[in-house]
Amino acid sequence: MNPAGNGSDIEQGLRALAQQAEDDLKALVSIESVYRNDNEKKIGEAANKCAELLRGAGMDVEVIHPQQNSPNGRQGPAPAPIVYASRPCGDVTAPTVLLYAHYDVVPGSWKDAFKPQVDQGRMKGRGAADDKSGVMMHVTTCRFFQRYGHLPVNVKIVLEGEEEAGTDTLERYMHDYPDRFKADVVSLADGGNVGLGKPTLATSLRGFVMADVSVSTLNGDVHSGMYGGPVPDAYMALTKILATLHDDEGNVAVPGLKQKEWQGYQPDRVALRKGAKIKDGVPLIGTGSLGSQLYTKPSVTVVGLDRLPAGEPLPGTKGFRNALLAGVRARLTMRIAPGDTPENAFTCLKNHLLRRDVNPWRAEASVSYVSGAPGFEVRAEGGPGYQAAEKALLTVYQAEQVHHAGQGGSIPLTNTLGAINPHADILIWGCEEPATNIHADHESVSLNELHSMTCAQVLLILALAGKQEPLSAHFGATASAGSAF
Protein backbone atom coordinates (compact mmCIF):
# COMPACT_ATOMS: atom_id res chain seq x y z
CA MET A 1 0.00 0.00 0.00
CA ASN A 2 1.26 3.46 -0.89
CA PRO A 3 -1.53 5.96 -0.30
CA ALA A 4 -1.03 9.40 -1.72
CA GLY A 5 -0.99 12.79 -0.04
CA ASN A 6 -1.46 13.06 3.69
CA GLY A 7 -2.13 9.36 3.88
CA SER A 8 1.51 8.53 3.17
CA ASP A 9 2.61 10.44 6.27
CA ILE A 10 0.05 8.57 8.32
CA GLU A 11 1.19 5.28 6.86
CA GLN A 12 4.79 6.00 7.81
CA GLY A 13 3.76 6.85 11.34
CA LEU A 14 1.81 3.62 11.63
CA ARG A 15 4.64 1.58 10.11
CA ALA A 16 6.74 2.76 13.04
CA LEU A 17 4.18 1.07 15.32
CA ALA A 18 3.92 -2.11 13.26
CA GLN A 19 6.20 -4.42 15.21
CA GLN A 20 4.65 -3.41 18.52
CA ALA A 21 1.17 -4.09 17.09
CA GLU A 22 2.26 -7.52 15.85
CA ASP A 23 3.82 -8.44 19.20
CA ASP A 24 0.75 -7.34 21.13
CA LEU A 25 -1.59 -9.19 18.80
CA LYS A 26 0.46 -12.33 19.42
CA ALA A 27 0.14 -11.82 23.16
CA LEU A 28 -3.63 -11.43 22.88
CA VAL A 29 -4.09 -14.44 20.61
CA SER A 30 -2.10 -16.61 23.03
CA ILE A 31 -4.80 -16.06 25.68
CA GLU A 32 -7.52 -18.70 25.32
CA SER A 33 -10.35 -16.24 25.96
CA VAL A 34 -13.30 -18.55 25.32
CA TYR A 35 -16.31 -17.45 27.37
CA ARG A 36 -17.43 -20.58 29.23
CA ASN A 37 -17.95 -21.88 32.76
CA ASP A 38 -14.45 -23.20 33.39
CA ASN A 39 -12.54 -20.32 31.80
CA GLU A 40 -13.21 -17.20 33.86
CA LYS A 41 -9.50 -16.81 34.65
CA LYS A 42 -8.53 -16.59 30.97
CA ILE A 43 -11.40 -14.23 30.20
CA GLY A 44 -10.20 -11.98 33.00
CA GLU A 45 -6.62 -12.22 31.77
CA ALA A 46 -7.66 -11.12 28.27
CA ALA A 47 -9.70 -8.20 29.64
CA ASN A 48 -6.79 -7.05 31.78
CA LYS A 49 -4.40 -7.32 28.83
CA CYS A 50 -6.69 -5.16 26.72
CA ALA A 51 -6.90 -2.62 29.54
CA GLU A 52 -3.10 -2.60 29.85
CA LEU A 53 -2.67 -1.93 26.12
CA LEU A 54 -5.17 0.92 26.12
CA ARG A 55 -3.62 2.54 29.19
CA GLY A 56 -0.26 2.36 27.48
CA ALA A 57 -1.82 4.14 24.50
CA GLY A 58 -2.86 7.08 26.67
CA MET A 59 -6.47 6.17 27.42
CA ASP A 60 -8.30 6.37 30.74
CA VAL A 61 -9.47 2.80 31.32
CA GLU A 62 -11.97 0.98 33.54
CA VAL A 63 -12.42 -2.76 33.80
CA ILE A 64 -16.10 -3.10 34.65
CA HIS A 65 -17.47 -6.25 36.31
CA PRO A 66 -21.24 -6.28 35.65
CA GLN A 67 -23.64 -7.94 38.05
CA GLN A 68 -25.25 -11.22 37.04
CA ASN A 69 -28.78 -9.91 37.09
CA SER A 70 -30.46 -11.33 34.01
CA PRO A 71 -34.26 -11.32 34.38
CA ASN A 72 -34.36 -14.72 32.70
CA GLY A 73 -32.47 -16.42 35.50
CA ARG A 74 -29.38 -16.74 33.37
CA GLN A 75 -27.25 -19.81 33.93
CA GLY A 76 -23.57 -20.07 33.10
CA PRO A 77 -20.32 -18.29 33.84
CA ALA A 78 -20.11 -14.94 35.55
CA PRO A 79 -20.43 -11.95 33.23
CA ALA A 80 -17.20 -11.17 31.40
CA PRO A 81 -15.52 -7.87 32.22
CA ILE A 82 -16.31 -4.90 29.99
CA VAL A 83 -13.23 -2.84 29.14
CA TYR A 84 -14.25 0.80 28.83
CA ALA A 85 -11.80 3.55 27.86
CA SER A 86 -12.20 7.23 27.10
CA ARG A 87 -10.18 10.35 26.40
CA PRO A 88 -11.68 13.81 25.78
CA CYS A 89 -9.77 16.00 23.33
CA GLY A 90 -10.45 19.26 25.18
CA ASP A 91 -12.57 20.79 22.42
CA VAL A 92 -16.25 20.88 23.37
CA THR A 93 -17.23 21.31 19.72
CA ALA A 94 -15.32 18.24 18.54
CA PRO A 95 -17.26 15.11 17.60
CA THR A 96 -17.20 11.93 19.66
CA VAL A 97 -16.16 8.60 18.14
CA LEU A 98 -16.98 5.28 19.81
CA LEU A 99 -14.74 2.32 18.91
CA TYR A 100 -15.93 -1.26 19.52
CA ALA A 101 -14.36 -4.74 19.35
CA HIS A 102 -14.53 -7.98 21.35
CA TYR A 103 -11.76 -9.97 22.99
CA ASP A 104 -13.56 -13.31 23.44
CA VAL A 105 -13.18 -16.06 20.84
CA VAL A 106 -14.78 -19.34 19.81
CA PRO A 107 -12.96 -22.50 20.94
CA GLY A 108 -9.77 -23.46 19.13
CA SER A 109 -10.43 -26.31 16.71
CA TRP A 110 -6.86 -27.34 15.89
CA LYS A 111 -3.60 -28.07 17.69
CA ASP A 112 -1.68 -24.94 18.70
CA ALA A 113 -4.71 -22.72 18.07
CA PHE A 114 -3.49 -20.44 20.87
CA LYS A 115 0.17 -20.48 19.86
CA PRO A 116 0.18 -17.75 17.22
CA GLN A 117 2.60 -17.99 14.32
CA VAL A 118 3.36 -15.59 11.47
CA ASP A 119 3.84 -17.00 8.00
CA GLN A 120 3.88 -15.10 4.70
CA GLY A 121 2.44 -11.96 6.23
CA ARG A 122 -0.43 -13.68 8.07
CA MET A 123 -0.77 -14.36 11.78
CA LYS A 124 -2.41 -17.70 12.45
CA GLY A 125 -4.28 -18.35 15.68
CA ARG A 126 -7.78 -18.46 17.09
CA GLY A 127 -9.10 -14.92 17.36
CA ALA A 128 -6.30 -13.38 15.31
CA ALA A 129 -8.96 -12.00 12.97
CA ASP A 130 -12.21 -12.36 14.97
CA ASP A 131 -11.84 -10.08 16.77
CA LYS A 132 -8.48 -9.37 18.36
CA SER A 133 -7.44 -7.67 15.14
CA GLY A 134 -10.25 -5.21 15.91
CA VAL A 135 -8.84 -4.66 19.39
CA MET A 136 -5.44 -3.89 17.87
CA MET A 137 -6.98 -1.52 15.30
CA HIS A 138 -8.21 0.60 18.18
CA VAL A 139 -5.08 0.30 20.32
CA THR A 140 -2.79 1.26 17.43
CA THR A 141 -5.07 4.16 16.44
CA CYS A 142 -4.70 5.54 19.97
CA ARG A 143 -0.94 4.97 19.91
CA PHE A 144 -0.68 6.92 16.67
CA PHE A 145 -2.37 9.97 18.16
CA GLN A 146 -0.41 9.59 21.37
CA ARG A 147 2.77 10.09 19.31
CA TYR A 148 1.11 12.85 17.31
CA GLY A 149 0.43 14.75 20.52
CA HIS A 150 -3.27 14.36 21.27
CA LEU A 151 -6.53 12.96 20.00
CA PRO A 152 -8.29 15.51 17.75
CA VAL A 153 -11.75 14.15 18.66
CA ASN A 154 -13.33 12.72 21.79
CA VAL A 155 -12.82 8.96 21.83
CA LYS A 156 -14.63 6.22 23.72
CA ILE A 157 -13.71 2.54 23.44
CA VAL A 158 -15.68 -0.50 24.56
CA LEU A 159 -14.37 -4.06 24.39
CA GLU A 160 -16.60 -6.97 25.41
CA GLY A 161 -15.96 -10.58 26.32
CA GLU A 162 -19.25 -12.32 25.49
CA GLU A 163 -19.89 -11.49 21.84
CA GLU A 164 -19.43 -15.05 20.63
CA ALA A 165 -21.79 -16.35 23.31
CA GLY A 166 -24.62 -14.09 22.15
CA THR A 167 -25.45 -12.99 25.69
CA ASP A 168 -26.85 -9.60 26.68
CA THR A 169 -24.44 -8.37 29.35
CA LEU A 170 -23.09 -5.44 27.36
CA GLU A 171 -26.50 -4.44 25.99
CA ARG A 172 -27.96 -4.39 29.50
CA TYR A 173 -25.07 -2.25 30.71
CA MET A 174 -25.66 0.14 27.79
CA HIS A 175 -29.34 0.42 28.70
CA ASP A 176 -28.37 1.26 32.29
CA TYR A 177 -25.67 3.81 31.34
CA PRO A 178 -26.57 5.15 27.89
CA ASP A 179 -24.63 8.42 28.28
CA ARG A 180 -21.38 6.47 28.35
CA PHE A 181 -22.08 5.26 24.80
CA LYS A 182 -23.30 8.43 23.13
CA ALA A 183 -21.31 9.28 20.02
CA ASP A 184 -21.49 10.96 16.64
CA VAL A 185 -19.76 8.11 14.83
CA VAL A 186 -19.44 4.45 15.88
CA SER A 187 -16.68 2.22 14.50
CA LEU A 188 -17.47 -1.48 14.90
CA ALA A 189 -14.24 -3.29 13.99
CA ASP A 190 -15.86 -6.73 13.74
CA GLY A 191 -16.44 -6.85 10.00
CA GLY A 192 -14.22 -7.01 7.00
CA ASN A 193 -13.65 -6.84 3.28
CA VAL A 194 -15.26 -8.94 0.57
CA GLY A 195 -11.76 -9.95 -0.49
CA LEU A 196 -8.20 -9.26 0.59
CA GLY A 197 -7.43 -5.66 -0.28
CA LYS A 198 -10.99 -4.91 -1.45
CA PRO A 199 -12.30 -2.13 0.83
CA THR A 200 -15.79 -2.78 2.14
CA LEU A 201 -18.39 -1.27 4.42
CA ALA A 202 -21.20 -3.49 5.63
CA THR A 203 -24.62 -1.95 5.11
CA SER A 204 -26.75 -4.66 6.68
CA LEU A 205 -26.54 -7.44 9.23
CA ARG A 206 -28.80 -10.41 9.69
CA GLY A 207 -30.21 -10.93 13.14
CA PHE A 208 -30.45 -14.31 14.83
CA VAL A 209 -32.54 -16.56 17.02
CA MET A 210 -31.07 -19.42 19.01
CA ALA A 211 -33.51 -22.08 20.17
CA ASP A 212 -33.56 -25.62 21.57
CA VAL A 213 -35.90 -28.30 20.22
CA SER A 214 -36.36 -31.31 22.50
CA VAL A 215 -37.92 -34.60 21.39
CA SER A 216 -38.91 -37.59 23.54
CA THR A 217 -40.43 -40.92 22.54
CA LEU A 218 -39.71 -43.24 25.51
CA ASN A 219 -39.62 -43.11 29.28
CA GLY A 220 -36.07 -44.49 29.25
CA ASP A 221 -33.38 -45.81 26.90
CA VAL A 222 -33.89 -49.41 25.75
CA HIS A 223 -31.82 -52.02 23.91
CA SER A 224 -31.97 -51.55 20.13
CA GLY A 225 -31.66 -55.27 19.46
CA MET A 226 -34.60 -56.14 21.69
CA TYR A 227 -36.89 -53.29 20.69
CA GLY A 228 -35.52 -51.85 17.44
CA GLY A 229 -38.08 -51.86 14.65
CA PRO A 230 -41.48 -50.95 16.05
CA VAL A 231 -40.15 -48.70 18.84
CA PRO A 232 -39.38 -45.10 17.77
CA ASP A 233 -35.89 -43.80 18.56
CA ALA A 234 -35.94 -40.16 19.72
CA TYR A 235 -32.92 -39.21 17.65
CA MET A 236 -34.47 -40.55 14.44
CA ALA A 237 -37.72 -38.75 15.28
CA LEU A 238 -35.76 -35.54 15.73
CA THR A 239 -34.05 -35.91 12.34
CA LYS A 240 -37.44 -36.24 10.63
CA ILE A 241 -38.61 -33.01 12.28
CA LEU A 242 -35.41 -31.11 11.48
CA ALA A 243 -35.54 -32.22 7.85
CA THR A 244 -38.73 -30.19 7.39
CA LEU A 245 -36.92 -26.90 8.06
CA HIS A 246 -35.80 -26.78 4.41
CA ASP A 247 -37.58 -27.51 1.15
CA ASP A 248 -36.08 -29.83 -1.45
CA GLU A 249 -34.12 -26.96 -3.02
CA GLY A 250 -32.59 -25.94 0.31
CA ASN A 251 -34.66 -22.85 1.07
CA VAL A 252 -35.84 -22.32 4.65
CA ALA A 253 -39.40 -23.62 4.77
CA VAL A 254 -40.62 -21.92 7.97
CA PRO A 255 -43.74 -19.87 7.18
CA GLY A 256 -43.95 -16.26 8.33
CA LEU A 257 -40.25 -15.32 8.25
CA LYS A 258 -39.44 -12.04 6.55
CA GLN A 259 -37.05 -11.88 3.60
CA LYS A 260 -36.21 -9.59 0.71
CA GLU A 261 -33.92 -9.30 -2.27
CA TRP A 262 -30.40 -7.95 -1.84
CA GLN A 263 -29.44 -5.07 -4.15
CA GLY A 264 -25.77 -4.51 -3.27
CA TYR A 265 -22.51 -6.38 -3.86
CA GLN A 266 -22.99 -9.92 -5.13
CA PRO A 267 -20.49 -12.55 -3.89
CA ASP A 268 -18.63 -14.60 -6.48
CA ARG A 269 -19.84 -18.21 -6.68
CA VAL A 270 -16.41 -19.70 -7.29
CA ALA A 271 -14.87 -17.76 -4.41
CA LEU A 272 -17.78 -18.73 -2.16
CA ARG A 273 -17.35 -22.41 -2.90
CA LYS A 274 -13.64 -22.19 -2.21
CA GLY A 275 -14.07 -20.18 0.98
CA ALA A 276 -16.78 -22.54 2.25
CA LYS A 277 -14.68 -25.63 1.38
CA ILE A 278 -17.53 -27.23 -0.57
CA LYS A 279 -16.55 -30.60 -1.99
CA ASP A 280 -16.49 -31.16 -5.73
CA GLY A 281 -19.85 -32.38 -6.92
CA VAL A 282 -21.78 -30.91 -3.99
CA PRO A 283 -23.98 -28.06 -5.26
CA LEU A 284 -24.97 -24.84 -3.55
CA ILE A 285 -28.48 -24.98 -2.14
CA GLY A 286 -31.38 -22.56 -2.18
CA THR A 287 -32.70 -20.21 -4.84
CA GLY A 288 -32.24 -16.54 -5.55
CA SER A 289 -29.06 -14.47 -5.68
CA LEU A 290 -26.14 -15.31 -3.43
CA GLY A 291 -26.35 -11.85 -1.87
CA SER A 292 -29.98 -12.43 -0.93
CA GLN A 293 -29.27 -15.88 0.47
CA LEU A 294 -26.35 -14.63 2.55
CA TYR A 295 -27.58 -11.22 3.67
CA THR A 296 -31.37 -10.77 3.51
CA LYS A 297 -32.95 -14.24 3.67
CA PRO A 298 -33.15 -16.56 6.68
CA SER A 299 -31.00 -19.63 7.23
CA VAL A 300 -31.18 -22.42 9.81
CA THR A 301 -28.25 -24.42 11.18
CA VAL A 302 -27.95 -27.17 13.79
CA VAL A 303 -25.13 -26.00 16.05
CA GLY A 304 -25.43 -28.58 18.84
CA LEU A 305 -26.84 -32.01 19.63
CA ASP A 306 -27.43 -33.40 23.11
CA ARG A 307 -27.38 -37.10 24.05
CA LEU A 308 -25.85 -38.47 20.87
CA PRO A 309 -24.54 -42.02 21.37
CA ALA A 310 -20.96 -41.48 22.54
CA GLY A 311 -18.10 -43.44 21.05
CA GLU A 312 -15.18 -43.77 18.71
CA PRO A 313 -15.57 -42.97 15.02
CA LEU A 314 -15.35 -46.61 13.86
CA PRO A 315 -18.19 -49.07 14.50
CA GLY A 316 -17.48 -51.78 17.00
CA THR A 317 -15.06 -49.78 19.11
CA LYS A 318 -15.54 -49.08 22.78
CA GLY A 319 -18.06 -46.38 23.64
CA PHE A 320 -21.05 -47.11 21.43
CA ARG A 321 -24.29 -48.17 23.08
CA ASN A 322 -26.76 -50.17 21.08
CA ALA A 323 -29.72 -48.30 22.50
CA LEU A 324 -32.81 -46.48 21.38
CA LEU A 325 -32.62 -43.04 23.00
CA ALA A 326 -35.56 -41.87 25.06
CA GLY A 327 -35.01 -38.16 24.45
CA VAL A 328 -32.64 -35.85 22.59
CA ARG A 329 -32.22 -32.13 22.06
CA ALA A 330 -30.88 -30.01 19.20
CA ARG A 331 -29.77 -26.38 19.38
CA LEU A 332 -30.64 -24.35 16.31
CA THR A 333 -29.34 -20.99 15.17
CA MET A 334 -31.56 -19.20 12.70
CA ARG A 335 -30.20 -16.14 10.91
CA ILE A 336 -33.03 -13.71 10.21
CA ALA A 337 -33.39 -10.96 7.64
CA PRO A 338 -32.89 -7.31 8.57
CA GLY A 339 -36.32 -5.98 9.46
CA ASP A 340 -37.47 -9.21 11.10
CA THR A 341 -37.59 -9.50 14.88
CA PRO A 342 -36.35 -12.31 17.13
CA GLU A 343 -39.85 -12.51 18.64
CA ASN A 344 -41.54 -13.06 15.29
CA ALA A 345 -38.84 -15.44 14.07
CA PHE A 346 -38.97 -17.58 17.21
CA THR A 347 -42.76 -17.75 17.08
CA CYS A 348 -42.62 -18.85 13.44
CA LEU A 349 -39.93 -21.46 14.20
CA LYS A 350 -41.78 -22.82 17.23
CA ASN A 351 -45.11 -23.01 15.40
CA HIS A 352 -43.49 -24.91 12.55
CA LEU A 353 -41.62 -27.41 14.73
CA LEU A 354 -44.74 -28.21 16.78
CA ARG A 355 -46.99 -28.87 13.80
CA ARG A 356 -48.35 -32.42 13.70
CA ASP A 357 -47.57 -32.83 10.02
CA VAL A 358 -43.81 -32.34 10.59
CA ASN A 359 -43.84 -34.90 13.44
CA PRO A 360 -45.17 -38.09 11.83
CA TRP A 361 -44.10 -40.32 14.75
CA ARG A 362 -46.02 -38.15 17.24
CA ALA A 363 -43.01 -37.68 19.49
CA GLU A 364 -43.35 -35.35 22.47
CA ALA A 365 -41.74 -32.10 21.32
CA SER A 366 -40.98 -28.74 22.89
CA VAL A 367 -39.16 -25.62 21.69
CA SER A 368 -37.47 -23.14 24.02
CA TYR A 369 -35.95 -19.73 23.35
CA VAL A 370 -32.24 -19.33 24.18
CA SER A 371 -31.26 -15.91 22.81
CA GLY A 372 -31.71 -13.62 19.86
CA ALA A 373 -31.09 -10.21 18.33
CA PRO A 374 -32.60 -8.22 15.47
CA GLY A 375 -30.75 -7.44 12.28
CA PHE A 376 -29.48 -4.01 11.32
CA GLU A 377 -29.48 -1.76 8.27
CA VAL A 378 -27.35 1.33 7.67
CA ARG A 379 -29.20 4.52 6.77
CA ALA A 380 -29.83 4.77 3.04
CA GLU A 381 -27.78 7.96 2.81
CA GLY A 382 -24.79 7.88 5.12
CA GLY A 383 -23.83 10.97 7.05
CA PRO A 384 -20.44 12.65 7.36
CA GLY A 385 -18.93 9.73 9.25
CA TYR A 386 -19.92 7.22 6.59
CA GLN A 387 -18.70 9.50 3.81
CA ALA A 388 -15.39 10.09 5.60
CA ALA A 389 -14.94 6.34 6.08
CA GLU A 390 -15.51 5.73 2.37
CA LYS A 391 -12.96 8.38 1.43
CA ALA A 392 -10.46 6.96 3.93
CA LEU A 393 -10.80 3.46 2.44
CA LEU A 394 -10.42 4.75 -1.11
CA THR A 395 -7.26 6.59 -0.10
CA VAL A 396 -5.68 3.75 1.83
CA TYR A 397 -6.43 1.02 -0.71
CA GLN A 398 -6.00 3.27 -3.78
CA ALA A 399 -9.29 1.80 -4.92
CA GLU A 400 -11.88 3.01 -7.41
CA GLN A 401 -14.81 1.95 -5.26
CA VAL A 402 -15.80 0.84 -1.80
CA HIS A 403 -17.93 -2.30 -1.85
CA HIS A 404 -21.23 -2.11 0.02
CA ALA A 405 -21.92 -5.60 1.26
CA GLY A 406 -24.21 -7.29 3.68
CA GLN A 407 -22.96 -9.46 6.51
CA GLY A 408 -24.53 -12.81 7.15
CA GLY A 409 -23.54 -12.88 10.79
CA SER A 410 -24.90 -10.79 13.63
CA ILE A 411 -23.55 -8.06 15.92
CA PRO A 412 -26.41 -7.75 18.43
CA LEU A 413 -25.40 -4.45 20.00
CA THR A 414 -25.71 -2.48 16.74
CA ASN A 415 -29.39 -1.90 17.41
CA THR A 416 -28.74 -0.86 21.00
CA LEU A 417 -26.10 1.60 19.81
CA GLY A 418 -28.48 2.82 17.13
CA ALA A 419 -31.20 3.43 19.70
CA ILE A 420 -28.80 5.39 21.93
CA ASN A 421 -27.41 7.31 18.93
CA PRO A 422 -30.26 7.63 16.41
CA HIS A 423 -28.40 10.16 14.26
CA ALA A 424 -24.94 8.59 14.39
CA ASP A 425 -23.18 6.87 11.52
CA ILE A 426 -22.50 3.27 12.51
CA LEU A 427 -19.58 1.82 10.56
CA ILE A 428 -19.14 -1.94 10.29
CA TRP A 429 -15.70 -2.75 8.93
CA GLY A 430 -12.50 -4.49 9.96
CA CYS A 431 -9.74 -6.93 9.06
CA GLU A 432 -11.75 -10.05 8.32
CA GLU A 433 -11.92 -11.34 4.73
CA PRO A 434 -12.59 -14.78 3.23
CA ALA A 435 -9.06 -16.08 3.82
CA THR A 436 -9.25 -15.36 7.57
CA ASN A 437 -11.33 -18.51 8.04
CA ILE A 438 -13.00 -17.24 11.20
CA HIS A 439 -14.73 -19.83 13.43
CA ALA A 440 -12.99 -22.60 11.48
CA ASP A 441 -9.63 -24.37 11.41
CA HIS A 442 -6.44 -22.33 11.10
CA GLU A 443 -7.93 -18.87 11.47
CA SER A 444 -5.50 -16.14 10.43
CA VAL A 445 -5.33 -12.44 9.70
CA SER A 446 -3.34 -10.52 7.11
CA LEU A 447 -1.06 -8.18 9.00
CA ASN A 448 -1.07 -5.83 6.05
CA GLU A 449 -4.88 -5.72 6.20
CA LEU A 450 -4.63 -4.84 9.89
CA HIS A 451 -2.23 -2.04 9.01
CA SER A 452 -4.46 -0.76 6.18
CA MET A 453 -7.63 -0.76 8.27
CA THR A 454 -5.87 1.01 11.13
CA CYS A 455 -4.65 3.61 8.66
CA ALA A 456 -8.23 4.07 7.40
CA GLN A 457 -9.51 4.55 10.95
CA VAL A 458 -6.85 7.20 11.62
CA LEU A 459 -7.82 9.02 8.40
CA LEU A 460 -11.48 8.82 9.47
CA ILE A 461 -10.75 10.47 12.82
CA LEU A 462 -8.68 13.21 11.20
CA ALA A 463 -11.44 13.92 8.68
CA LEU A 464 -14.04 14.15 11.45
CA ALA A 465 -11.77 16.60 13.26
CA GLY A 466 -11.32 18.68 10.10
CA LYS A 467 -7.59 17.99 10.07
CA GLN A 468 -6.01 18.06 6.62
CA GLU A 469 -2.38 19.05 7.20
CA PRO A 470 0.47 16.60 6.58
CA LEU A 471 1.68 14.87 9.71
CA SER A 472 5.26 14.01 8.78
CA ALA A 473 6.66 16.96 10.72
CA HIS A 474 5.18 15.56 13.92
CA PHE A 475 7.09 12.28 13.52
CA GLY A 476 10.42 13.52 12.23
CA ALA A 477 13.06 10.83 12.03
CA THR A 478 10.83 8.25 13.73
CA ALA A 479 8.29 8.25 10.93
CA SER A 480 10.09 5.53 8.95
CA ALA A 481 11.49 3.64 11.92
CA GLY A 482 10.42 0.15 12.93
CA SER A 483 9.47 -2.85 10.90
CA ALA A 484 6.78 -2.93 8.28
CA PHE A 485 4.06 -5.57 8.03
Side-chain angles (χ1 to χ4, degrees):
M1 184 191 71
N2 184 26
N6 297 342
S8 62
D9 302 306
I10 295 166
E11 183 192 9
Q12 289 179 2
L14 288 167
R15 290 287 182 188
L17 300 171
Q19 190 59 56
Q20 186 180 11
E22 179 181 326
D23 293 343
D24 289 335
L25 181 57
K26 275 186 177 179
L28 276 176
V29 173
S30 68
I31 302 172
E32 190 175 351
S33 51
V34 179
Y35 181 69
R36 61 176 185 242
N37 278 319
D38 61 346
N39 207 41
E40 292 181 14
K41 182 177 180 181
K42 289 292 185 181
I43 282 287
E45 182 182 345
N48 290 335
K49 181 64 177 179
C50 291
E52 173 192 322
L53 295 175
L54 288 170
R55 287 192 188 99
M59 302 297 291
D60 298 322
V61 183
E62 299 174 58
V63 178
I64 301 163
H65 296 272
Q67 297 297 312
Q68 189 162 330
N69 59 351
S70 171
N72 298 322
R74 159 179 161 164
Q75 302 295 317
I82 298 168
V83 180
Y84 183 88
S86 61
R87 172 66 68 174
C89 71
D91 181 356
V92 295
T93 66
T96 296
V97 179
L98 175 65
L99 311 179
Y100 165 86
H102 64 87
Y103 62 83
D104 64 310
V105 301
V106 299
S109 53
W110 73 97
K111 183 181 179 182
D112 297 334
F114 297 98
K115 294 181 180 179
Q117 298 178 345
V118 176
D119 181 37
Q120 297 183 336
R122 301 189 71 93
M123 183 179 294
K124 182 187 295 184
R126 175 60 82 220
D130 184 19
D131 183 32
K132 292 175 179 179
S133 65
V135 174
M136 289 313 305
M137 268 182 65
H138 301 332
V139 170
T140 308
T141 295
C142 294
R143 284 175 177 163
F144 174 88
F145 287 108
Q146 186 183 39
R147 295 183 67 165
Y148 174 46
H150 63 87
L151 283 160
V153 299
N154 304 301
V155 171
K156 301 174 181 178
I157 300 175
V158 59
L159 308 178
E160 72 165 316
E162 299 182 27
E163 195 275 345
E164 300 293 6
T167 52
D168 63 353
T169 296
L170 179 55
E171 288 97 308
R172 290 176 59 78
Y173 186 82
M174 287 180 171
H175 282 298
D176 291 341
Y177 303 97
D179 288 347
R180 307 199 79 183
F181 301 94
K182 288 185 176 178
D184 300 290
V185 176
V186 178
S187 170
L188 296 170
D190 192 18
N193 295 331
V194 296
L196 187 63
K198 296 181 179 180
T200 305
L201 285 168
T203 56
S204 74
L205 299 171
R206 285 192 292 191
F208 80 97
V209 168
M210 187 176 290
D212 287 345
V213 52
S214 299
V215 169
S216 178
T217 56
L218 312 174
N219 290 320
D221 297 351
V222 297
H223 192 277
S224 62
M226 184 175 296
Y227 294 104
V231 177
D233 171 62
Y235 181 60
M236 296 306 296
L238 174 65
T239 62
K240 294 185 75 68
I241 294 172
L242 295 180
T244 69
L245 291 170
H246 295 85
D247 64 21
D248 290 342
E249 293 180 300
N251 300 297
V252 175
V254 177
L257 297 174
K258 294 184 179 180
Q259 54 184 292
K260 61 183 179 179
E261 291 299 318
W262 170 253
Q263 302 298 325
Y265 170 84
Q266 289 291 342
D268 178 77
R269 286 182 175 270
V270 175
L272 178 71
R273 290 186 63 91
K274 182 179 179 181
K277 303 177 183 178
I278 299 176
K279 292 187 174 182
D280 292 343
V282 177
L284 296 174
I285 63 172
T287 58
S289 70
L290 285 184
S292 297
Q293 288 184 269
L294 289 168
Y295 307 143
T296 57
K297 289 186 176 182
S299 68
V300 184
T301 306
V302 178
V303 296
L305 290 168
D306 186 30
R307 287 221 63 211
L308 279 176
E312 301 296 327
L314 296 176
T317 57
K318 184 178 180 181
F320 280 101
R321 282 194 310 125
N322 286 314
L324 303 174
L325 298 183
V328 292
R329 177 181 58 167
R331 175 156 293 181
L332 307 178
T333 292
M334 183 163 63
R335 302 291 178 174
I336 61 176
D340 208 345
T341 65
E343 294 78 15
N344 173 68
F346 175 72
T347 297
C348 293
L349 178 66
K350 181 177 180 179
N351 289 343
H352 173 85
L353 291 170
L354 296 182
R355 283 166 37 190
R356 286 180 64 87
D357 61 321
V358 306
N359 183 3
W361 292 358
R362 302 294 185 265
E364 288 185 2
S366 63
V367 183
S368 58
Y369 180 88
V370 178
S371 61
F376 178 79
E377 290 182 285
V378 172
R379 289 184 294 170
E381 294 185 6
Y386 196 87
Q387 294 167 14
E390 283 198 316
K391 185 176 180 181
L393 288 169
L394 291 173
T395 299
V396 169
Y397 284 95
Q398 294 187 306
E400 295 182 357
Q401 66 172 324
V402 172
H403 297 288
H404 296 158
Q407 189 164 311
S410 307
I411 306 176
L413 60 84
T414 49
N415 288 280
T416 304
L417 286 168
I420 294 172
N421 303 294
H423 303 295
D425 283 315
I426 297 181
L427 309 174
I428 304 167
W429 59 357
C431 307
E432 300 165 17
E433 35 82 22
T436 56
N437 219 32
I438 64 171
H439 289 212
D441 289 349
H442 306 294
E443 178 182 346
S444 69
V445 69
S446 163
L447 293 173
N448 200 57
E449 202 84 322
L450 171 58
H451 169 73
S452 298
M453 290 305 304
T454 306
C455 193
Q457 185 162 261
V458 168
L459 279 174
L460 165 69
I461 288 175
L462 287 168
L464 294 174
K467 303 289 185 180
Q468 301 296 330
E469 76 276 9
L471 301 179
S472 56
H474 296 279
F475 286 99
T478 66
S480 59
S483 65
F485 287 151

